Each structure stands twice: as structure tokens, then as C-alpha cells.
Amino acid sequence: AGWAREFNWRLDLITVCSPLTKKILRDAGVKRPIAITGNGVEHLEAVKAEPAEIFLGTPGRFRFLHVSSGLPRKGVDVLLQAFARAFRNDDPVTLVIKTTPDEANMAPEILARLRGSRPDFPEVVLIDADLPAGQLAWIYEQCDALALTPRAEGFGLPIAEAALRGLPCVTSDFGGQRCLVDETTAFLVPGRFDHARTHLSIPDSLWFEPDVEALAETLRRVAALP
């Protein structure tokens, strides 16, 4: 409520990436003009793929790709748990996680803990680095499907980027990315609302918790498709 009062007092215009973000602000009491701008994707559409000397897992396997900051709201921990439930290391499936260095990035810690808990943990490749756009485009082209299952999302830019490269998408059935996809254009994972656990520590804030078992089953189904 305090933030909504500040917005109403100090701001003349708010731009947001998706209708959901506008709705959340309105529901919170923000009354200032709000414009839905979306996010442009021509930055990757016009980029030529540049092959990189980056290991993307065992050749010939089905590759899932996850692209995010690795922050808690991105749900990379849920994805790793589901991937571990769905596959073993002798299954012909790889998960490629592309993140960026950040102290709040939970991917390295979660991956290390899960790997240590199982000798047959499935193949996961972690790319924790900033890359040129051409190399990112190349990584998209080397993978078979995108897995982006956030707890909270404003737009879901990797989904649009992956679509431009012809990749199908597995994603949460709630969030700003639902302005890009529906049940006919993506594999939507159900879940439930739960109290958000973020650095903002707002006690009455909620986010969407994807169902781990449903996600695991969806990953198995997508990997088995022709």
C-alpha cells in the first residue's frame, strides 16, 4: 500500500511489459496512467548465430534450455527438482541452464546440492556467464525446447526469443508470459499460489509455485515427442 501511495503521488506515467503487471498495479491501488509496451525481440531476430566453444552436453541428446537470472522468482530450483525426478544420467536428455553471475543467482548452489544427493543425477550444463547475442542465438539453435517455469514473470522474453528460433516452450500457467502463449502454443504447467519469499520481504505478497510432479511429467512428455 505504501508503494502504491508513492506511485500515485510521484509518478506521471508507468510503463509495463504485460497486461498482468498492469492488473497487479491496479489491484494494489495504483491510479496513475499505465501503458503496456511489451518487449521488443528484434535484437535477436536480426542476430546471426555465432558458434561458440561451449560444452552443451553429450551430443545427440534432447536438450532443454533454461535462460534466466537464476533469481528465486525464476524457479530454477523447481526446474532442477523436476528434471531430477523425470530423468537419470543414462537418459538421452540434457538440461542447459544459461544464467549470469550474480550473488542472488541460486542455480549453482541448487545444482551442486542436488548433484551431491544422487549418483545418477541427470546431465545438466550450467553456463554462468555473460555472452554476446550471437552466441546466445547459437545456443538457442542447438537446443530442442525451452523450459522457463517462473514463480513470477513480467513478460518472459526468453520465450519470445526461443519462438523466433523455432523452439517449443514449457512454462508456468501464470505470469506475464501468458500474454505470449496459451495452451495451444506452449506446454503449460499448473501450480498454486503461495507466499512470496523474496528480498523485498512483503508479508502479503504472493507468487505462483509450479507443481514439481506435473513439471516432471511435462518434461518427460516433451522429450519423447518426435
Side-chain angles (χ1 to χ4, degrees), residues 1 36 48 68 76 82 84 87 93 101-102 119 138 151 153 165 174 182 191 202 216 218-219:
I36 302 171
K48 181 179 179 181
S68 82
V76 66
F87 307 108
V93 182
D102 189 300
W138 176 78
R151 295 180 170 96
E153 188 61 69
R165 300 287 163 170
F174 182 82
D182 59 24
I202 301 174
T218 303
L219 295 174

PDB file of all heavy atoms in Angstrom, residues 1 36 48 68 76 82 84 87 93 101-102 119 138 151 153 165 174 182 191 202 216 218-219:
ATOM      1  N   ALA A   1       0.828  -1.205   0.000  1.00  0.00           N
ATOM      2  CA  ALA A   1       0.000   0.000   0.000  1.00  0.00           C
ATOM      3  C   ALA A   1       0.864   1.258   0.000  1.00  0.00           C
ATOM      4  O   ALA A   1       0.526   2.264  -0.624  1.00  0.00           O
ATOM      5  CB  ALA A   1      -0.925  -0.036   1.202  1.00  0.00           C
ATOM      6  N   ILE A  36       0.931  -0.383 -21.563  1.00  0.00           N
ATOM      7  CA  ILE A  36       1.528  -1.700 -21.810  1.00  0.00           C
ATOM      8  C   ILE A  36       2.399  -1.592 -23.064  1.00  0.00           C
ATOM      9  O   ILE A  36       1.899  -1.368 -24.165  1.00  0.00           O
ATOM     10  CB  ILE A  36       0.447  -2.773 -22.002  1.00  0.00           C
ATOM     11  CG1 ILE A  36      -0.459  -2.844 -20.765  1.00  0.00           C
ATOM     12  CG2 ILE A  36       1.086  -4.135 -22.272  1.00  0.00           C
ATOM     13  CD1 ILE A  36      -1.682  -3.721 -20.947  1.00  0.00           C
ATOM     14  N   LYS A  48      22.942 -12.887 -36.251  1.00  0.00           N
ATOM     15  CA  LYS A  48      23.443 -14.114 -36.867  1.00  0.00           C
ATOM     16  C   LYS A  48      24.078 -14.982 -35.794  1.00  0.00           C
ATOM     17  O   LYS A  48      24.877 -14.516 -34.985  1.00  0.00           O
ATOM     18  CB  LYS A  48      24.472 -13.781 -37.951  1.00  0.00           C
ATOM     19  CG  LYS A  48      25.019 -15.005 -38.668  1.00  0.00           C
ATOM     20  CD  LYS A  48      26.019 -14.608 -39.741  1.00  0.00           C
ATOM     21  CE  LYS A  48      26.573 -15.845 -40.444  1.00  0.00           C
ATOM     22  NZ  LYS A  48      27.579 -15.469 -41.481  1.00  0.00           N
ATOM     23  N   SER A  68      17.721 -17.528 -17.724  1.00  0.00           N
ATOM     24  CA  SER A  68      17.200 -16.598 -16.716  1.00  0.00           C
ATOM     25  C   SER A  68      18.337 -16.092 -15.852  1.00  0.00           C
ATOM     26  O   SER A  68      19.489 -16.532 -15.967  1.00  0.00           O
ATOM     27  CB  SER A  68      16.138 -17.272 -15.828  1.00  0.00           C
ATOM     28  OG  SER A  68      16.735 -18.035 -14.794  1.00  0.00           O
ATOM     29  N   VAL A  76      14.299 -21.729 -10.975  1.00  0.00           N
ATOM     30  CA  VAL A  76      15.273 -22.697 -11.471  1.00  0.00           C
ATOM     31  C   VAL A  76      15.407 -23.875 -10.508  1.00  0.00           C
ATOM     32  O   VAL A  76      15.695 -25.004 -10.924  1.00  0.00           O
ATOM     33  CB  VAL A  76      16.640 -22.009 -11.711  1.00  0.00           C
ATOM     34  CG1 VAL A  76      17.256 -21.534 -10.412  1.00  0.00           C
ATOM     35  CG2 VAL A  76      17.592 -22.926 -12.452  1.00  0.00           C
ATOM     36  N   ALA A  82      12.380 -30.995 -10.724  1.00  0.00           N
ATOM     37  CA  ALA A  82      11.533 -31.741 -11.660  1.00  0.00           C
ATOM     38  C   ALA A  82      12.382 -32.528 -12.662  1.00  0.00           C
ATOM     39  O   ALA A  82      12.060 -33.675 -12.998  1.00  0.00           O
ATOM     40  CB  ALA A  82      10.597 -30.784 -12.395  1.00  0.00           C
ATOM     41  N   ALA A  84      15.323 -33.736 -12.169  1.00  0.00           N
ATOM     42  CA  ALA A  84      15.884 -34.881 -11.458  1.00  0.00           C
ATOM     43  C   ALA A  84      14.854 -35.981 -11.256  1.00  0.00           C
ATOM     44  O   ALA A  84      15.207 -37.168 -11.234  1.00  0.00           O
ATOM     45  CB  ALA A  84      16.455 -34.428 -10.119  1.00  0.00           C
ATOM     46  N   PHE A  87      14.325 -37.694 -15.032  1.00  0.00           N
ATOM     47  CA  PHE A  87      15.391 -38.375 -15.777  1.00  0.00           C
ATOM     48  C   PHE A  87      16.525 -38.832 -14.869  1.00  0.00           C
ATOM     49  O   PHE A  87      16.666 -38.377 -13.741  1.00  0.00           O
ATOM     50  CB  PHE A  87      15.951 -37.436 -16.860  1.00  0.00           C
ATOM     51  CG  PHE A  87      14.919 -36.845 -17.764  1.00  0.00           C
ATOM     52  CD1 PHE A  87      14.575 -35.489 -17.659  1.00  0.00           C
ATOM     53  CD2 PHE A  87      14.264 -37.615 -18.707  1.00  0.00           C
ATOM     54  CE1 PHE A  87      13.623 -34.934 -18.486  1.00  0.00           C
ATOM     55  CE2 PHE A  87      13.303 -37.067 -19.538  1.00  0.00           C
ATOM     56  CZ  PHE A  87      12.979 -35.723 -19.427  1.00  0.00           C
ATOM     57  N   VAL A  93      18.888 -37.118 -22.377  1.00  0.00           N
ATOM     58  CA  VAL A  93      18.309 -35.787 -22.191  1.00  0.00           C
ATOM     59  C   VAL A  93      19.302 -34.919 -21.419  1.00  0.00           C
ATOM     60  O   VAL A  93      19.931 -35.378 -20.457  1.00  0.00           O
ATOM     61  CB  VAL A  93      16.965 -35.845 -21.437  1.00  0.00           C
ATOM     62  CG1 VAL A  93      16.362 -34.460 -21.294  1.00  0.00           C
ATOM     63  CG2 VAL A  93      15.991 -36.780 -22.137  1.00  0.00           C
ATOM     64  N   PRO A 101      26.381 -14.185 -13.818  1.00  0.00           N
ATOM     65  CA  PRO A 101      26.958 -14.109 -12.468  1.00  0.00           C
ATOM     66  C   PRO A 101      26.213 -13.085 -11.602  1.00  0.00           C
ATOM     67  O   PRO A 101      26.050 -11.941 -11.986  1.00  0.00           O
ATOM     68  CB  PRO A 101      28.402 -13.664 -12.732  1.00  0.00           C
ATOM     69  CG  PRO A 101      28.675 -14.016 -14.159  1.00  0.00           C
ATOM     70  CD  PRO A 101      27.363 -13.867 -14.873  1.00  0.00           C
ATOM     71  N   ASP A 102      25.765 -13.531 -10.443  1.00  0.00           N
ATOM     72  CA  ASP A 102      25.049 -12.651  -9.516  1.00  0.00           C
ATOM     73  C   ASP A 102      25.010 -13.357  -8.167  1.00  0.00           C
ATOM     74  O   ASP A 102      24.761 -14.562  -8.105  1.00  0.00           O
ATOM     75  CB  ASP A 102      23.625 -12.382 -10.013  1.00  0.00           C
ATOM     76  CG  ASP A 102      22.921 -11.300  -9.210  1.00  0.00           C
ATOM     77  OD1 ASP A 102      22.752 -11.479  -7.989  1.00  0.00           O
ATOM     78  OD2 ASP A 102      22.532 -10.278  -9.803  1.00  0.00           O
ATOM     79  N   PRO A 119      23.910 -40.196  -7.215  1.00  0.00           N
ATOM     80  CA  PRO A 119      24.964 -40.579  -8.151  1.00  0.00           C
ATOM     81  C   PRO A 119      24.480 -40.672  -9.595  1.00  0.00           C
ATOM     82  O   PRO A 119      25.292 -40.588 -10.520  1.00  0.00           O
ATOM     83  CB  PRO A 119      25.410 -41.955  -7.640  1.00  0.00           C
ATOM     84  CG  PRO A 119      24.231 -42.478  -6.876  1.00  0.00           C
ATOM     85  CD  PRO A 119      23.578 -41.273  -6.265  1.00  0.00           C
ATOM     86  N   TRP A 138      23.080 -18.863 -31.047  1.00  0.00           N
ATOM     87  CA  TRP A 138      23.609 -20.184 -31.391  1.00  0.00           C
ATOM     88  C   TRP A 138      23.155 -21.235 -30.380  1.00  0.00           C
ATOM     89  O   TRP A 138      22.783 -22.351 -30.753  1.00  0.00           O
ATOM     90  CB  TRP A 138      25.131 -20.120 -31.460  1.00  0.00           C
ATOM     91  CG  TRP A 138      25.784 -21.446 -31.708  1.00  0.00           C
ATOM     92  CD1 TRP A 138      25.894 -22.110 -32.902  1.00  0.00           C
ATOM     93  CD2 TRP A 138      26.410 -22.286 -30.724  1.00  0.00           C
ATOM     94  NE1 TRP A 138      26.557 -23.304 -32.720  1.00  0.00           N
ATOM     95  CE2 TRP A 138      26.893 -23.436 -31.397  1.00  0.00           C
ATOM     96  CE3 TRP A 138      26.636 -22.171 -29.358  1.00  0.00           C
ATOM     97  CZ2 TRP A 138      27.560 -24.466 -30.738  1.00  0.00           C
ATOM     98  CZ3 TRP A 138      27.298 -23.195 -28.695  1.00  0.00           C
ATOM     99  CH2 TRP A 138      27.755 -24.323 -29.384  1.00  0.00           C
ATOM    100  N   ARG A 151       8.093 -18.392 -10.925  1.00  0.00           N
ATOM    101  CA  ARG A 151       7.064 -18.144  -9.920  1.00  0.00           C
ATOM    102  C   ARG A 151       6.398 -16.791 -10.158  1.00  0.00           C
ATOM    103  O   ARG A 151       5.250 -16.594  -9.762  1.00  0.00           O
ATOM    104  CB  ARG A 151       7.694 -18.158  -8.527  1.00  0.00           C
ATOM    105  CG  ARG A 151       8.273 -19.503  -8.103  1.00  0.00           C
ATOM    106  CD  ARG A 151       8.880 -19.393  -6.712  1.00  0.00           C
ATOM    107  NE  ARG A 151       9.225 -20.689  -6.185  1.00  0.00           N
ATOM    108  CZ  ARG A 151      10.439 -21.231  -6.246  1.00  0.00           C
ATOM    109  NH1 ARG A 151      11.420 -20.565  -6.847  1.00  0.00           N
ATOM    110  NH2 ARG A 151      10.680 -22.406  -5.728  1.00  0.00           N
ATOM    111  N   GLU A 153       6.632 -13.530 -13.253  1.00  0.00           N
ATOM    112  CA  GLU A 153       7.251 -13.103 -14.507  1.00  0.00           C
ATOM    113  C   GLU A 153       6.522 -11.895 -15.058  1.00  0.00           C
ATOM    114  O   GLU A 153       5.290 -11.864 -15.069  1.00  0.00           O
ATOM    115  CB  GLU A 153       7.209 -14.240 -15.529  1.00  0.00           C
ATOM    116  CG  GLU A 153       7.992 -13.980 -16.794  1.00  0.00           C
ATOM    117  CD  GLU A 153       9.469 -13.765 -16.512  1.00  0.00           C
ATOM    118  OE1 GLU A 153      10.161 -14.727 -16.129  1.00  0.00           O
ATOM    119  OE2 GLU A 153       9.918 -12.609 -16.657  1.00  0.00           O
ATOM    120  N   ARG A 165      13.470 -18.798 -32.811  1.00  0.00           N
ATOM    121  CA  ARG A 165      14.413 -19.837 -33.230  1.00  0.00           C
ATOM    122  C   ARG A 165      13.725 -21.192 -33.381  1.00  0.00           C
ATOM    123  O   ARG A 165      14.390 -22.207 -33.564  1.00  0.00           O
ATOM    124  CB  ARG A 165      15.555 -19.938 -32.225  1.00  0.00           C
ATOM    125  CG  ARG A 165      16.347 -18.636 -32.090  1.00  0.00           C
ATOM    126  CD  ARG A 165      17.222 -18.361 -33.294  1.00  0.00           C
ATOM    127  NE  ARG A 165      17.651 -16.952 -33.327  1.00  0.00           N
ATOM    128  CZ  ARG A 165      18.571 -16.483 -34.160  1.00  0.00           C
ATOM    129  NH1 ARG A 165      19.162 -17.287 -35.027  1.00  0.00           N
ATOM    130  NH2 ARG A 165      18.889 -15.205 -34.159  1.00  0.00           N
ATOM    131  N   PHE A 174       0.907 -19.282 -15.213  1.00  0.00           N
ATOM    132  CA  PHE A 174       0.560 -17.977 -14.654  1.00  0.00           C
ATOM    133  C   PHE A 174       1.773 -17.072 -14.789  1.00  0.00           C
ATOM    134  O   PHE A 174       2.909 -17.508 -14.627  1.00  0.00           O
ATOM    135  CB  PHE A 174       0.166 -18.066 -13.174  1.00  0.00           C
ATOM    136  CG  PHE A 174      -0.233 -16.734 -12.589  1.00  0.00           C
ATOM    137  CD1 PHE A 174      -1.517 -16.248 -12.772  1.00  0.00           C
ATOM    138  CD2 PHE A 174       0.684 -15.962 -11.890  1.00  0.00           C
ATOM    139  CE1 PHE A 174      -1.884 -15.009 -12.251  1.00  0.00           C
ATOM    140  CE2 PHE A 174       0.330 -14.730 -11.372  1.00  0.00           C
ATOM    141  CZ  PHE A 174      -0.960 -14.253 -11.552  1.00  0.00           C
ATOM    142  N   ASP A 182      -0.505 -19.668 -24.950  1.00  0.00           N
ATOM    143  CA  ASP A 182      -1.677 -20.286 -24.336  1.00  0.00           C
ATOM    144  C   ASP A 182      -1.520 -21.796 -24.462  1.00  0.00           C
ATOM    145  O   ASP A 182      -0.462 -22.292 -24.853  1.00  0.00           O
ATOM    146  CB  ASP A 182      -2.986 -19.780 -24.965  1.00  0.00           C
ATOM    147  CG  ASP A 182      -3.065 -20.060 -26.461  1.00  0.00           C
ATOM    148  OD1 ASP A 182      -2.399 -21.000 -26.943  1.00  0.00           O
ATOM    149  OD2 ASP A 182      -3.803 -19.346 -27.166  1.00  0.00           O
ATOM    150  N   GLY A 191      -0.027 -25.101 -11.053  1.00  0.00           N
ATOM    151  CA  GLY A 191       0.603 -24.842  -9.769  1.00  0.00           C
ATOM    152  C   GLY A 191      -0.387 -24.213  -8.808  1.00  0.00           C
ATOM    153  O   GLY A 191      -1.604 -24.300  -9.009  1.00  0.00           O
ATOM    154  N   ILE A 202       7.830  -8.593   1.563  1.00  0.00           N
ATOM    155  CA  ILE A 202       6.480  -8.041   1.719  1.00  0.00           C
ATOM    156  C   ILE A 202       5.571  -9.170   2.213  1.00  0.00           C
ATOM    157  O   ILE A 202       5.354 -10.154   1.509  1.00  0.00           O
ATOM    158  CB  ILE A 202       5.960  -7.465   0.394  1.00  0.00           C
ATOM    159  CG1 ILE A 202       6.921  -6.363  -0.105  1.00  0.00           C
ATOM    160  CG2 ILE A 202       4.553  -6.917   0.553  1.00  0.00           C
ATOM    161  CD1 ILE A 202       6.571  -5.824  -1.471  1.00  0.00           C
ATOM    162  N   ALA A 216       7.672 -32.386 -13.994  1.00  0.00           N
ATOM    163  CA  ALA A 216       8.470 -33.559 -14.362  1.00  0.00           C
ATOM    164  C   ALA A 216       7.785 -34.369 -15.450  1.00  0.00           C
ATOM    165  O   ALA A 216       8.425 -34.804 -16.424  1.00  0.00           O
ATOM    166  CB  ALA A 216       8.724 -34.426 -13.121  1.00  0.00           C
ATOM    167  N   THR A 218       5.606 -33.278 -17.624  1.00  0.00           N
ATOM    168  CA  THR A 218       5.621 -32.497 -18.860  1.00  0.00           C
ATOM    169  C   THR A 218       6.978 -32.588 -19.549  1.00  0.00           C
ATOM    170  O   THR A 218       7.058 -32.739 -20.777  1.00  0.00           O
ATOM    171  CB  THR A 218       5.283 -31.027 -18.570  1.00  0.00           C
ATOM    172  OG1 THR A 218       4.007 -30.949 -17.929  1.00  0.00           O
ATOM    173  CG2 THR A 218       5.240 -30.211 -19.854  1.00  0.00           C
ATOM    174  N   LEU A 219       8.061 -32.527 -18.785  1.00  0.00           N
ATOM    175  CA  LEU A 219       9.398 -32.654 -19.362  1.00  0.00           C
ATOM    176  C   LEU A 219       9.579 -34.018 -20.018  1.00  0.00           C
ATOM    177  O   LEU A 219      10.135 -34.115 -21.127  1.00  0.00           O
ATOM    178  CB  LEU A 219      10.466 -32.432 -18.293  1.00  0.00           C
ATOM    179  CG  LEU A 219      10.540 -31.027 -17.674  1.00  0.00           C
ATOM    180  CD1 LEU A 219      11.559 -31.011 -16.533  1.00  0.00           C
ATOM    181  CD2 LEU A 219      10.891 -29.976 -18.719  1.00  0.00           C
TER     182      LEU A 219
END
